[in-house]
């Protein structure tokens, strides 16, 4: 089997942990840009998740010979017209704690009944292959915004994202459970299928 390396253009430790677990069966080593000694400083000024994922992947691909991937994701709350969406990381400021961001979103939904609390996590993954070819995939998980933070797993908005099938938030799911149903798990599995179509890249 061809053993290769995938450089993942993310600085988000929560994403990297999930991505490593989801990609474990590919036989490919997933390395964060930081661990690969690559520094990228990009402005995520795209209008879509796909554009932003490509901006990050292209920046790392410019200085790497490996396959490069990037994830751009976000939380879309229907009652808030899709906010925070592609601005999820920047909502209330990049350095603001998620305790504050989550409490703020919950308070903006005060008095809103269950059926109007619908939301989804969306994830686009972009890949730039060594020959310059570019791929993007997207997936989502549907859920509802809870009434308070619950659970300590995951990261970001997980403690307020309630998944009806499990009757739990994504922060109460184990990492394996989350990866089976999450936007990121689904998107990465789609990307694995895309990569299988290319020669010299073997995924199980
Ligand atoms: P990189 O750009 O370095 O990958 P980032 O955190 O800035 O890291 P994004 O621009 O894609 O990444 O922002 C995604 C944000 O959406 C992330 O910071 C979380 O706030 C939220 N988010 C995405 N996926 C999530 C998940 O699985 N669980 C909880 N929150 C999530």
């Amino acid at each position: 089997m061809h053993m290769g390396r995938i450089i993942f253009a993310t600085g988000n430790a929560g994403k990297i942990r999930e991505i490593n677990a989801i990609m474990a069966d590919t036989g490919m080593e997933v390395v964060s840009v930081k661990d690969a000694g690559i520094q990228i400083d990009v402005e995520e000024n795209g209008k879509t998740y796909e554009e932003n994922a490509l901006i990050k992947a292209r920046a790392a691909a410019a200085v790497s010979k490996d396959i490069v991937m990037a994830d751009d994701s976000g939380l879309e709350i229907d009652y808030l017209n899709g906010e925070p969406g592609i601005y999820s990381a920047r909502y209330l400021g990049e350095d603001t704690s998620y305790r504050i961001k989550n409490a703020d979103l919950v308070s903006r939904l005060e008095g809103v009944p269950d059926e109007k609390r619908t939301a989804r996590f969306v994830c686009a993954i972009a890949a730039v292959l060594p020959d310059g070819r570019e791929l993007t995939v997207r997936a989502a998980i549907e859920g509802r915004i809870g009434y308070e933070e619950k659970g300590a797993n995951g990261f970001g908005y997980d403690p307020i994202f309630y998944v009806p099938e499990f009757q739990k938030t994504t922060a109460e799911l184990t990492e394996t459970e989350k990866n089976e149903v999450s936007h990121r798990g689904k998107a990465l599995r789609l990307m694995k299928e895309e990569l299988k179509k290319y020669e010299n890249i073997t995924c199980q």
Side-chain angles (χ1 to χ4, degrees), residues 6-191:
I6 296 173
I7 307 288
F8 224 100
T10 179
N12 181 321
K15 285 186 185 178
I16 272 287
R17 213 171 35 242
E18 293 179 5
I19 290 159
N20 267 308
I22 299 161
M23 298 300 283
D25 66 350
T26 62
M28 301 189 79
E29 189 193 356
V30 181
V31 181
S32 71
V33 267
K34 188 167 156 241
D35 289 342
I38 295 172
Q39 227 194 327
I40 54 162
D41 188 18
V42 293
E43 205 191 333
E44 294 182 37
N45 55 7
K47 289 188 186 65
T48 62
Y49 299 102
E50 284 83 354
E51 281 176 25
N52 280 337
L54 274 170
I55 287 170
K56 292 183 256 191
R58 283 174 186 152
V63 290
S64 168
K65 290 190 173 66
D66 297 297
I67 297 172
V68 175
M69 287 189 196
D71 163 311
D72 199 68
S73 43
L75 173 66
E76 298 180 350
I77 302 177
D78 292 324
Y79 187 78
L80 304 178
N81 300 312
E83 272 190 72
I86 62 169
Y87 304 106
S88 291
R90 289 163 274 178
Y91 183 65
L92 298 182
E94 193 109 34
D95 296 329
T96 303
S97 78
Y98 277 88
R99 180 137 301 162
I100 291 171
K101 295 188 196 208
N102 286 333
D104 178 83
L105 289 174
V106 167
S107 78
R108 290 179 69 190
L109 266 63
E110 204 179 317
V112 176
D114 272 352
E115 64 274 17
K116 289 191 180 153
R117 302 177 78 90
T118 51
R120 69 202 53 75
F121 273 131
V122 179
C123 175
I125 304 280
V128 179
L129 305 185
D131 65 6
R133 278 180 291 188
E134 297 181 337
L135 309 167
T136 60
V137 293
R138 176 199 277 237
I141 173 175
E142 299 290 330
R144 288 182 181 182
I145 300 304
Y147 296 85
E148 60 186 349
E149 285 197 317
K150 277 193 178 160
N153 302 332
F155 64 97
Y157 299 105
D158 281 325
I160 59 165
F161 188 82
Y162 185 81
V163 188
E165 301 92 287
F166 285 93
Q167 299 199 23
K168 282 179 181 173
T169 68
T170 39
E172 293 177 295
L173 299 181
T174 65
E175 187 178 274
T176 307
E177 286 171 333
K178 181 182 170 188
N179 290 342
E180 271 168 25
V181 296
S182 77
H183 50 319
R184 184 163 299 105
K186 289 192 247 182
L188 276 171
R189 286 191 288 276
L190 288 173
M191 183 56 84

